[in-house]
Amino acid sequence: MQLGILGPVEIRRRDGARLGPRAGRERSLLALLVLNTGYVLPHDRIVDLLWEDPPGSARAQVYNLVSGLRRRLRAEADGTDGEALVTTDGGYLLRSGAHTTDLAVFRDHASRGRGEAEAGRFGRAAELLSTALGCWRGTALSGCSEPFVPAARQGLEEERWRTVEALLDTRLALGEYERVLADVDPLLARHPHREDLYRRRMLALAGQGRRADALACYREAYRRLGDDLGVGPGAQLRELHRRILEGAAVGAPDGADGPGGPGGAGAVRRGRR
């Protein structure tokens, strides 16, 4: 059985068939349990997370929601791993060994991908990071609107963004500049004030020897940040701009030693425009 929250909240059988849970608080309860897999969620804590102003029947409603969800999970389990959702003193526990979750798979692959990148194994890192991002099916916790959702969704989206950045840096280190540009351009259309995206775009353009385009990208960032936010580019972007202006070698972010690293394919050739 697979449980998903990185998109619409869902239960999926081992054969891939997608199922419930029911709309409303049962769906949000499943999301809460997945977010806390392996940890006991106290009954009162669930009430606080599912209601802004809990009614007098909130505790009884949680009991009914848990009972219904337990029956649904039990019906989809193959029976080899025992009960997925168990009651403990004062709360409920979604056992980590009784199912898989897209969140756990995402975090595992993202962590291993960053480790491979740190070790300089960029090809394997790109595979793992791409697999991690492939776990996402849309906006996290889709279909949920309870009080806990905005903060939880924001935290998950931040994890997703860090993984996107790690993949971009890995591809820069591999010298995959066209692919970086293909990924960065639509991201910039949705996030036009993120300096880290301008910086990676400049690095990819510089890696292709497109010095004039890299400098134009900086001017675009300068104009957009100034016009929209009333601020100038930060120190990292200014330093990269200076180095490209001077024709110095620029490589992958954070000093990655790869094809795009210092002196490699990412070097800006002096005078090329």
Side-chain angles (χ1 to χ4, degrees):
M1 178 174 55
Q2 297 175 321
L3 308 177
I5 64 171
L6 301 181
V9 177
E10 66 176 20
I11 302 170
R12 185 178 296 186
R13 292 201 305 246
R14 293 186 186 275
D15 63 6
R18 296 178 181 177
L19 307 167
R22 299 181 190 275
R25 288 194 173 88
E26 182 178 296
R27 181 177 294 165
S28 293
L29 173 62
L30 177 59
L32 270 178
L33 291 165
V34 170
L35 286 166
N36 294 276
T37 296
Y39 297 92
V40 174
L41 261 180
H43 194 289
D44 290 343
R45 180 61 176 156
I46 294 175
V47 170
D48 290 339
L49 291 169
L50 292 183
W51 283 274
E52 287 186 4
D53 185 16
S57 62
R59 290 180 63 86
Q61 288 189 50
V62 169
Y63 175 83
N64 291 332
L65 289 170
V66 169
S67 297
L69 185 57
R70 180 182 286 122
R71 286 194 300 270
R72 190 179 296 274
L73 295 175
R74 187 182 293 149
E76 302 309 326
D78 60 13
T80 60
D81 294 318
E83 192 79 71
L85 177 55
V86 298
T87 301
T88 67
D89 291 339
Y92 304 98
L93 169 69
L94 188 65
R95 296 175 55 246
S96 58
H99 62 279
T100 60
T101 71
D102 54 4
L103 179 60
V105 174
F106 163 71
R107 286 174 169 169
D108 174 64
H109 282 77
S111 176
R112 290 195 287 136
R114 286 190 290 270
E116 291 293 308
E118 290 172 3
R121 295 185 286 269
F122 298 114
R124 179 59 176 157
E127 292 176 6
L128 288 165
L129 294 167
S130 296
T131 299
L133 292 170
C135 293
W136 286 75
R137 295 169 285 109
T139 301
L141 306 173
S142 291
C144 299
S145 58
E146 277 62 38
F148 76 92
V149 172
R153 181 178 289 145
Q154 180 179 350
L156 292 171
E157 290 293 343
E158 288 173 357
E159 289 188 54
R160 183 185 194 179
W161 190 262
R162 289 194 295 271
T163 305
V164 168
E165 291 180 322
L167 180 57
L168 290 173
D169 290 347
T170 296
R171 286 179 172 161
L172 282 170
L174 289 167
E176 297 178 354
Y177 304 122
E178 282 293 341
R179 196 162 186 178
V180 171
L181 292 173
D183 290 341
V184 164
D185 286 349
L187 289 172
L188 266 175
R190 297 197 300 272
H191 307 280
H193 304 129
R194 294 199 71 114
E195 291 189 46
D196 51 345
L197 291 177
Y198 289 106
R199 182 166 58 88
R200 289 171 174 89
R201 190 170 192 274
M202 290 171 65
L203 285 167
L205 290 168
Q208 293 179 323
R210 297 166 59 184
R211 178 173 177 267
D213 290 336
L215 295 174
C217 180
Y218 178 83
R219 292 193 296 272
E220 178 186 352
Y222 187 95
R223 181 171 56 253
R224 178 59 65 92
L225 294 170
D227 290 348
D228 295 353
L229 304 179
V231 299
Q236 279 190 316
L237 206 60
R238 295 198 308 271
E239 173 62 15
L240 177 59
H241 176 248
R242 182 192 64 78
R243 295 184 67 190
I244 293 174
L245 271 177
E246 295 176 354
V250 295
D254 300 323
D257 185 13
V268 179
R269 293 168 178 81
R270 186 178 299 276
R272 179 171 181 174
R273 298 179 180 272

